[in-house]
């Protein structure tokens, strides 16, 4: 496996030339954030990730976290020490409010740190990622007392947090869960039930783990309207903040998975030994799904970021191999020497595909992060509302398009290695295996697509999406009047935008009259949307970087490559999007595989 | 993991309604082959694979073949007994001439048997697959004496064969190999050198292994023109056919791989302990590459078949899960019940994509096999030549398009399972990991694409490809005059054919003037070509099955689904094919990943 090199130049470019940093600075608490500050913070963070976290990645994969006979878990050698250093360095808290021990950076800058952490070791990165979600939940919906007890310890990473939703019969359909929460006279609840697929549900990294658990109170309405959210610490916390008795939360087993071996995926049992684990209600009863959704949106973007992270890491390694490995002779090379495979057009095409898509993902996702910052903190309510709407459109795209691409790009990374890519010691296969979870969890990509087509596209009768496409069209106008070497992008970008418009109009119409037809086209529509936005951000980047020497030349070549290779596939998916559901249901289930 | 069910109805349909069985029967030795005979043979073979081989697949993956401290290999529990039963039942010999102990079936019928063997356990299936290649090499190029000594034992499977090409510095560039073959006074050679990535290079299934080894004689010309081919048995064979002394071939190590764990991928050392392993020259010196290529074409099709096999197996398992698993409520379902996920349009779309592509692959690959039969055995020389040309065009498509699809479809199989798909015990991930080798070995898919665009497309100035497309256009004419429910396919099929024509014309022009531009487009061109042919065979199948009740209705729905969802992506890749190489080389290697 190659050493990790943080992609600082591209990250910095996305944060300063795609994201509107000046606008973020109109938010009081970010007024002091400028490009120089970001660069110095991120280069320090990148150095830390490369030196402390990235070396753990192979042992994390090959040994993984182990469940011992006594039910305790042992994380891979070095994880515990590295986690302590990460807490100590303050990187986990960087993008949280100073009030809770945070570093006060914008959300989007935190994404950059998380991108690099994930590139270093995705399995490891999931532990902080889940903690961020718990942080956000408590900041938004916790009582002052709950915040006082848990928040600073979670934000700094002294304790970790989890999201405890899934049960065996309730995966995508969270409303089907049956874990019980019985109110007690002292205002607490007793929680009993078994939850599965709990990421970092138990471990040995910290002294306590704070579980955010969805459960049902007695006589609650059925489905999602009857779900409440509870804080259930692994160890109860005494009034002085010290750690008290165990709270009857046990890790019954961990999964043997395709990838992210370092990350323990737990079956957790609550209240198995007694009257139930003690839980503290967050907010009001029966509002748990709503609270989870505030948090889940950001988590979905964070999962999208995993697609980007694996694509970028895989790209780095593939480039390094393609430069070192010689094989055959490229056209025009000296007759006596074999050429590095990077000189073969088909290999270079794969590398450019990896590069262009990684940059495209970063652009779309960081704009998504910027929208979250504006939605959360901008002083103008109109700006907050618009930004919130924008984030809600971009999030399912970042998640679904980004994670599908993460798998596809990591597969190209294997391919560049030839036979060596199939040998585990090479390390190229790990990115692909690790990346494969991201299209599944935090809402499958099918559910993301449904969310985009059924809820987000219809926002304001389609106007919200139309406003985003108007911004794309404004970039097309800029391209048309640009230097000739970027003007060629205008045509493919316009054609892709037209195709997406057409698909959107069709979907909007059938959402009213024949929703199954719309649902049948939701996934290709999401791919169309993501692919188009990817071309847009690359074009914007190329325009912004024009005249900056080699850097600008590279941005232009990457944007043109994407425009010629990726953008025309958008129209290629229009027919799949508008094909309808009729032919899907001709063959009955039993006849599908006789 | 679900039980394996051989897809007999679809296999039989492809062999009798797509393949021109009547024409195959004009070959004397196949005159007795009719649909009933094929059906009874294949259903028997399928039963054997399902009962004897398929149960080994999980242990093959989870334990794998192990190299012991003494250098011997131990295959997974049950492999040895199953292999013996496979030999005893005669399935390995089924499609070889009776003269060598074979069953006298056509090649394409042997493909059907191999498809089912691969679906049952791909890692296991590779051992016979490599032996077939050795069989073909000896039938074509061995002396009578060599054939007498080795062929019957190889054809029946009593011994296994290998293909020994790759060295550390010579993978895709076979011409760079350095293993030495020094002639002896008795006409034999002494072989010394180290070879890597030798599939089933050693094992405990049989008493002997016959290696087909590429090596260089002294003073041979450089590159591929100086390579000779040798028979190097693991144990020397005495003149009475009994097994003699060990021949100094040692398995130095085996690879720790992403998948196909049951299949030992060996580093083999020849002549490490003495003056060299004894080798017997096949044919003439310096003609080894030519001999290997006769055999390699069929091997490439067999690897394509692995893509089909993993897609089909993954599809079966996904359908089964989608019927069992309930989650959420489909539109129109009773309010009180949760629905099987097979009723959700997005899940059904994934299943139809898996189904349609599996059938498309089978159609293209079996036509490829039919062409090999005609090329090998048809009495009319003109037919043989045309068929040989046709096989040479289809083979890189079967291999590259088929194996890329195998990975993509197996990934959808994981996705249908949601979180359970990521848990190894479910078994859905194995198809995906196993499938991932197929785009790499037997010539990477990039090399297949180069072969198609640089050698096959230019055959007779493009006429050979044009004749194939004329057959597609003839099907379009049939569709236009067909029942209205198939006529809708004509438009997408015609548009895809036009796009492929345009891409082909562009590539032909630049092959002469700017080959790098052509090489840059070779991979998308191959995908275009395969996707188009897939739509063609499905349309032909639907036409042939029209009026046959449910079976015909299903074929029609599958063909329409593919026409709406897959065929329009052909034009979507035209721009990528004709984009040229200029933008690939703007960014220098060192700047690709700074």
């Amino acid at each position: 496996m190659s050493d990790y090199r943080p992609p600082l130049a591209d990250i910095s470019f996305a944060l300063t030339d795609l994201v509107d940093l000046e606008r973020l600075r109109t938010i009081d608490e970010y007024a002091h954030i400028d490009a120089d500050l970001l660069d110095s913070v991120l280069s320090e963070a990148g150095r830390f990730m490369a030196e402390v976290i990235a070396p753990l990645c192979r042992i994390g994969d090959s040994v993984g976290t182990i469940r011992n006979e006594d039910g305790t878990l042992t994380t891979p050698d070095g994880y515990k020490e590295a986690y302590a250093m990460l807490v100590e360095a303050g990187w986990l808290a960087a993008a949280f409010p100073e009030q809770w021990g945070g570093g006060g950076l914008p959300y989007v800058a935190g994404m950059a740190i998380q991108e690099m952490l994930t590139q270093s070791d995705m399995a490891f990165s999931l532990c902080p990622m889940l903690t961020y979600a718990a942080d956000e939940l408590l900041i938004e919906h916790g009582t002052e007392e709950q915040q006082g007890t848990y928040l600073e310890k979670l934000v700094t990473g002294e304790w970790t947090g989890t999201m405890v939703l899934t049960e065996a019969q309730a995966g995508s359909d969270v409303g089907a869960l049956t874990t019980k929460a019985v109110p007690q006279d002292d205002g607490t609840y007793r929680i009993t039930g078994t939850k599965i697929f709990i990421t970092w549900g138990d471990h040995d990294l910290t002294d306590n783990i704070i579980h955010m658990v969805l459960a049902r109170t007695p006589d609650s309405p059925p489905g999602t309207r009857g779900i409440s959210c509870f804080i259930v610490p692994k160890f109860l916390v005494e009034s002085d903040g010290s750690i008290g008795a165990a709270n009857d939360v046990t890790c019954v087993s961990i999964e043997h998975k395709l990838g992210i071996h370092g990350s323990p995926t737990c079956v957790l049992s609550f209240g198995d030994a007694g009257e139930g684990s003690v839980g503290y209600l967050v907010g009001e009863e029966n509002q748990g799904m709503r609270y989870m959704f505030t948090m889940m949106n950001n988590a979905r973007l964070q999962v999208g970021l995993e697609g980007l992270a694996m694509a970028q890491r895989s790209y780095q390694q593939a480039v390094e191999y393609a430069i070192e490995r010689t094989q055959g002779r490229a056209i025009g090379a000296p007759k006596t020497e074999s050429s590095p495979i990077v000189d073969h057009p088909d290999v270079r095409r794969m590398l450019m595909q990896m590069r262009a898509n990684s940059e495209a993902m970063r652009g779309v996702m960081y704009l998504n992060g910027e929208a979250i910052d504006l939605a959360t903190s901008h002083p103008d309510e109109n700006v907050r509302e618009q930004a919130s709407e924008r984030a809600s459109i971009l999030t399912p795209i970042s998640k679904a398009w980004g994670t599908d691409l993460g798998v596809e790009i990591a597969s190209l990374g294997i391919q560049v290695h030839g036979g060596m890519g199939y040998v585990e010691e090479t390390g190229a296969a790990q990115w692909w295996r690790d990346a494969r979870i991201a299209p599944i969890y935090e809402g499958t990509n099918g559910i993301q697509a449904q969310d985009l087509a059924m809820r987000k596209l219809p926002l304001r009768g389609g106007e919200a999406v139309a406003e985003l496409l108007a911004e794309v069209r404004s970039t097309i106008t800029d391209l048309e009047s640009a230097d000739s070497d970027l003007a060629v992008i205008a045509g493919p970008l316009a054609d892709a935008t037209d195709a997406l418009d057409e698909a959107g109009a069709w979907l909007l119409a059938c959402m009213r009259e024949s929703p199954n037809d719309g649902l049948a086209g939701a996934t290709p529509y999401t791919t169309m949307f993501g692919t188009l936005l990817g071309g847009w951000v690359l074009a914007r980047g190329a325009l912004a970087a024009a005249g900056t020497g080699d850097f600008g030349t590279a941005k232009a070549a990457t944007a043109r490559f994407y425009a010629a290779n990726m953008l025309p596939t958008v129209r290629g998916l229009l027919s799949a999007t508008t094909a309808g559901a009729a032919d899907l249901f001709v063959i009955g289930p039993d006849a599908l595989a006789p």
Side-chain angles (χ1 to χ4, degrees), chain A:
Chain A
M1 183 180 310
S2 64
D3 288 340
Y4 169 60
R5 295 182 306 282
L8 290 167
D10 280 337
I11 287 177
S12 166
F13 180 75
L15 285 177
T16 53
D17 286 70
L18 278 178
V19 168
D20 186 346
L21 197 55
E22 285 312 307
R23 198 178 183 196
L24 274 189
R25 288 167 54 137
T26 62
I27 299 168
D28 267 357
E29 61 253 52
Y30 304 143
H32 65 294
I33 308 286
D34 61 18
D36 286 347
L37 174 72
L38 280 179
D39 281 355
S40 73
V41 168
L42 294 177
S43 79
E44 193 57 29
R47 194 191 55 72
F48 181 92
M49 303 308 170
E51 288 176 8
V52 179
I53 308 297
L56 303 172
C57 176
R58 276 302 291 159
I59 191 174
D61 185 60
S62 54
V63 178
T65 290
I66 291 161
R67 184 174 175 279
N68 306 303
E69 284 194 14
D70 65 358
T72 60
L73 302 189
T74 303
T75 51
D77 264 3
Y79 264 40
K80 189 167 178 163
E81 295 74 13
Y83 185 83
M85 288 170 76
L86 193 56
V87 170
E88 172 69 24
W91 296 121
L92 300 179
F96 283 90
E98 292 174 13
Q99 176 187 5
W100 305 114
L105 288 180
Y107 182 82
V108 70
M111 284 178 66
I113 296 171
Q114 184 68 12
E115 180 192 328
M116 295 189 287
L117 175 59
T118 310
Q119 277 155 0
S120 300
D121 184 350
M122 177 168 150
F124 183 94
S125 79
L126 298 179
C127 187
M129 201 269 262
L130 271 293
T131 307
Y132 301 154
D135 299 345
E136 287 163 12
L137 189 73
L138 287 181
I139 289 173
E140 195 77 19
H141 304 290
T143 63
E144 240 176 75
E145 190 192 339
Q146 289 167 345
Q147 292 176 337
T149 306
Y150 302 106
L151 248 179
E152 187 161 339
K153 290 204 163 70
L154 284 170
V155 165
T156 57
E158 184 179 335
W159 296 345
T160 69
T162 68
M163 289 290 123
V164 183
L165 286 70
T166 305
E167 298 176 12
Q169 79 297 350
S172 295
D173 184 6
V174 180
L177 66 84
T178 62
T179 292
K180 285 192 190 120
V182 179
Q184 308 293 308
D185 292 345
D186 65 355
T188 67
Y189 291 70
R190 290 293 184 145
I191 314 288
T192 49
T194 301
K195 296 282 190 173
I196 67 169
F197 291 154
I198 309 307
T199 300
W200 284 94
D202 197 10
H203 59 77
D204 59 3
L205 300 184
T206 56
D207 297 336
N208 208 355
I209 302 172
I210 311 304
H211 302 292
M212 301 292 162
V213 181
L214 292 189
R216 273 181 199 294
T217 52
D219 309 318
S220 62
T224 51
R225 290 169 305 118
I227 292 176
S228 305
C229 178
F230 300 90
I231 300 168
V232 183
K234 177 178 177 182
F235 294 100
L236 295 170
V237 181
E238 303 291 338
S239 52
D240 65 353
S242 66
I243 288 180
N247 191 19
D248 198 6
V249 182
T250 48
C251 172
V252 177
S253 64
I254 62 173
E255 306 296 345
H256 171 219
K257 304 187 302 296
L258 172 59
I260 51 166
H261 295 156
S263 165
T265 303
C266 302
V267 176
L268 285 189
S269 177
F270 292 88
D272 210 30
E275 299 138 63
S277 308
V278 176
Y280 309 96
L281 182 69
V282 176
E284 295 170 29
E285 280 191 10
N286 300 330
Q287 298 297 314
M289 276 306 280
R290 194 165 64 78
Y291 304 155
M292 272 298 167
F293 265 111
T294 15
M295 168 284 302
M296 218 185 278
N297 273 321
N298 291 3
R300 287 174 171 186
L301 174 54
Q302 295 283 342
V303 170
L305 206 57
E306 293 167 10
L308 160 60
M310 291 301 93
Q312 170 77 36
R313 187 75 202 267
S314 167
Y315 167 66
Q316 272 194 9
Q317 181 168 352
V319 168
E320 203 167 294
Y321 185 79
I323 291 173
E324 280 167 14
R325 170 75 172 170
T326 63
Q327 200 74 178
R329 197 167 63 78
I331 290 170
K335 292 232 165 182
T336 50
E337 291 168 25
S338 62
S339 305
I341 63 172
V342 72
D343 287 348
H344 293 300
D346 191 64
V347 172
R348 192 68 77 100
R349 181 192 55 76
M350 289 192 272
L351 295 174
M352 282 300 289
Q353 193 170 334
M354 299 175 80
R355 176 191 186 86
N357 277 295
S358 299
E359 289 187 22
M361 281 189 257
R362 186 179 294 110
V364 172
M365 292 174 193
Y366 282 29
L367 289 182
N368 196 343
E370 174 190 33
I372 289 173
D373 273 317
L374 295 172
T376 312
S377 313
H378 198 275
D380 183 333
E381 190 184 330
N382 286 330
V383 173
R384 287 203 305 274
E385 270 178 27
Q386 281 173 8
S388 171
E389 194 182 63
R390 175 61 54 89
S392 81
I393 293 168
L394 292 180
T395 299
I397 298 170
S398 295
K399 201 285 186 179
W401 168 71
T403 59
D404 281 345
L405 261 184
V407 177
E408 188 184 322
I409 299 303
S411 186
L412 284 174
I414 294 176
Q415 192 67 18
V416 169
H417 284 78
M420 291 306 295
Y422 205 66
V423 173
E424 284 287 4
E425 283 80 0
T426 306
Q430 186 185 342
W431 318 132
W432 190 61
R433 288 187 289 97
D434 285 356
R436 190 61 191 81
I437 187 58
I440 296 172
Y441 61 14
E442 215 54 51
T444 64
N445 283 1
I447 284 174
Q448 305 300 323
Q450 180 172 342
D451 178 48
L452 180 67
M454 300 277 283
R455 294 164 182 261
K456 306 305 169 57
L457 173 60
L459 287 171
R460 289 192 279 127
E463 272 308 300
V465 165
E467 283 166 17
L468 174 54
L469 295 191
E471 291 182 37
V472 177
R473 291 196 191 279
S474 150
T475 301
I476 294 170
T477 309
D478 294 345
L479 288 165
E480 283 163 347
S481 56
D483 276 1
S484 63
D485 77 336
L486 291 180
V488 294
I489 299 172
L493 192 56
D495 188 57
T497 310
D498 291 346
L500 190 75
D501 250 345
E502 215 179 303
W506 187 90
L507 285 171
L508 274 175
C510 73
M511 282 309 155
R512 288 185 290 269
E513 289 150 31
S514 55
N516 264 352
D517 288 329
L519 289 170
T523 288
Y525 177 68
T526 305
T527 308
M528 289 177 76
F529 213 146
T531 309
L532 168 72
L533 293 181
W536 174 51
V537 297
L538 290 181
R540 278 182 54 186
L543 287 166
T548 58
D550 288 350
F551 187 81
T553 307
K555 290 285 172 214
T558 305
R560 283 196 307 268
F561 172 86
Y562 190 100
N565 286 268
M566 305 293 133
L567 280 178
T569 67
V570 174
R571 184 169 289 281
L573 288 173
L574 175 58
S575 168
T577 304
T578 61
D583 275 330
L584 297 182
F585 290 96
V586 170
I587 309 174
D590 293 337
L592 276 174

